[in-house]
Amino acid sequence: MSERRACRVIDADRKSVRYRSTQDDDAQLREKLRELANQRRRFGYRRLHILLRREGVMINRKKTQRLYQEEGLAVSRRRSRRRAVGTRAPAPVLALPNQRWSLDFVHDQMASGRRFRVLNVVVDVTRECLAAVPDTSISGRRVVRELTALIERRGKPGMIVSDNGTELTSNAVLAWCEEIGVEWHYIAPGRPMQNGYVESFNGRMRDELLNETLFISLDHARVEIAVWVEDYNRERPPSSLGHATPAAFAAELDKQWPASPRPTGSAAQPIASTALIRNNAARL
C-alpha cells in the first residue's frame, strides 16, 4: 500500500508521518553528565544540574532530569534505618557566624578489619565542617586539644552541642569548658535529632565517602577524609543553603556581621535547630 493511501485510511497527516526530528542528540552534554555522575556517585540530578551550571552549561533543570533518567544515572537507594517519630519543636538559633558548633563521632573500618572513628565538628548555621579527625582512639583530652586548636583559628563559639558519650562528658572536657567559659549543651539520651546538623553531616559522609571507599590504612583514611571535607566545604551545594557552598555562605555572613559587635535577640534572624524531648507521658 502506498504512503498516500495508508495515511488516508488511518486519517493521518503525511507531513507528520514524514517528519524527522532535527533536535541535537546532546552527546557532549550526556557525556559530561555521565562524567559528573561517576565523580559524584551519590548526587542526584538536582545537584548535578547545579554543577553543570557552574561549568557554564545553561540548560533547563527539566532537561537535566530527562537526560539523567535516560542515561540511567539514578542513585541507588540504600535501606534506611527505622526513624523515630514524635513532635519536633525547633529552638531558635541566631543566624550568625560561629554561633553554635555540633560534635559527634562516626565509625568505620579499614581493609584489615581494624576499626577507627572520626570526630566531626560542624557549624550549625553555615553547615561548615571545621574538623574531621580520624583515629583509632579519641579520648576526652584529645577532643579538648582539637577544640582548642579550632578556637585559636576560628574564635570561641557561643555554644557547643553533643551527645552524652563518655569522651564528651569526661572530666577533661568539663574542666576545659569551665576554664575557657564555653557553654556545652548535652542532648537528651536517645534523642539524636536534637543534634540534627552533625547527624545529617555524618549521614552525608557515610553515604558519599565511607561507604564508597576502602581504606588501606589510617594515613590513607586521613588523606581521603581531608580531601572530601575540603570538597564538602567549597564545592558541594547543599539545598538547605540555597545551593550555596558552606564556605561561600559563611563568607556572606561574615560580610553582613563583621567581627565587631554582633546583634542579639531579634536583631538577627533565627534558624531552625534541635528538637525538644518528646513527651511520652501525654500518650499514656
Side-chain angles (χ1 to χ4, degrees):
M1 185 182 294
S2 68
E3 178 187 279
R4 185 192 304 272
R5 185 176 180 185
C7 288
R8 186 184 304 117
V9 169
I10 64 174
D11 194 23
D13 190 336
R14 290 171 62 196
K15 292 181 180 179
S16 299
V17 172
R18 292 179 177 181
Y19 175 77
R20 295 293 180 267
S21 174
T22 58
Q23 187 177 3
D24 245 354
D25 61 355
D26 298 313
Q28 293 183 351
L29 180 57
R30 290 172 184 268
E31 179 64 28
K32 185 62 179 177
L33 189 60
R34 286 196 300 268
E35 180 184 341
L36 286 174
N38 287 331
Q39 293 173 359
R40 312 280 186 164
R41 296 176 56 186
R42 305 303 300 175
F43 276 22
Y45 76 89
R46 291 181 179 86
R47 285 200 172 92
L48 293 177
H49 178 71
I50 298 296
L51 297 182
L52 285 173
R53 291 179 69 89
R54 283 185 186 173
E55 297 188 10
V57 181
M58 307 304 291
I59 60 173
N60 188 281
R61 181 185 58 81
K62 292 182 179 179
K63 182 173 182 178
T64 304
Q65 182 182 10
R66 176 175 61 81
L67 296 179
Y68 181 84
Q69 292 174 343
E70 290 177 358
E71 294 297 317
L73 301 176
V75 177
S76 59
R77 292 183 177 272
R78 294 195 173 107
R79 187 177 179 180
S80 60
R81 294 164 53 183
R82 186 176 178 181
R83 299 184 182 276
V85 296
T87 303
R88 295 171 180 170
V93 179
L94 298 182
L96 299 174
N98 231 27
Q99 181 69 13
R100 191 172 72 185
W101 296 356
S102 295
L103 274 69
D104 198 13
F105 291 96
V106 63
H107 299 77
D108 201 20
Q109 66 179 19
M110 294 173 275
S112 62
R114 189 180 185 187
R115 298 189 64 80
F116 68 94
R117 59 197 329 209
V118 185
L119 171 65
N120 288 327
V121 183
V122 176
V123 182
D124 289 1
V125 175
T126 64
R127 310 298 197 273
E128 291 174 283
C129 175
L130 298 183
V133 184
D135 213 331
T136 53
S137 176
I138 300 178
S139 64
R141 292 183 178 179
R142 175 70 180 279
V143 171
V144 166
R145 290 201 304 270
E146 296 294 338
L147 290 177
T148 302
L150 282 178
I151 289 176
E152 289 176 356
R153 298 201 310 266
R154 290 287 301 245
K156 189 168 65 174
M159 177 188 292
I160 295 177
V161 180
S162 75
D163 60 19
N164 298 271
T166 55
E167 304 85 356
L168 304 176
T169 57
S170 64
N171 289 333
V173 170
L174 296 177
W176 177 80
C177 288
E178 184 176 355
E179 178 184 349
I180 69 169
V182 169
E183 181 182 355
W184 195 300
H185 174 73
Y186 293 101
I187 66 173
R191 297 291 185 269
M193 279 310 299
Q194 293 184 8
N195 204 15
Y197 292 108
V198 73
E199 290 287 349
S200 175
F201 175 82
N202 289 348
R204 301 285 76 73
M205 173 180 277
R206 182 165 298 284
D207 187 44
E208 297 176 12
L209 175 68
L210 302 183
N211 288 346
E212 298 289 317
T213 309
L214 181 62
F215 299 110
I216 307 302
S217 64
L218 188 58
D219 288 338
H220 179 220
R222 285 175 176 144
V223 170
E224 292 295 327
I225 290 173
V227 170
W228 185 84
V229 167
E230 180 69 14
D231 180 82
Y232 176 90
N233 284 333
R234 301 192 176 278
E235 297 296 333
R236 192 180 189 277
S239 56
S240 58
L241 301 180
H243 299 295
T245 64
F249 188 81
E252 188 61 30
L253 272 185
D254 284 330
K255 291 179 183 177
Q256 295 178 15
W257 307 115
S260 53
R262 299 247 171 107
T264 58
S266 60
Q269 294 297 321
I271 62 171
S273 178
T274 57
L276 300 177
I277 302 175
R278 180 174 58 183
N279 186 4
N280 290 322
R283 303 174 60 191
L284 300 177

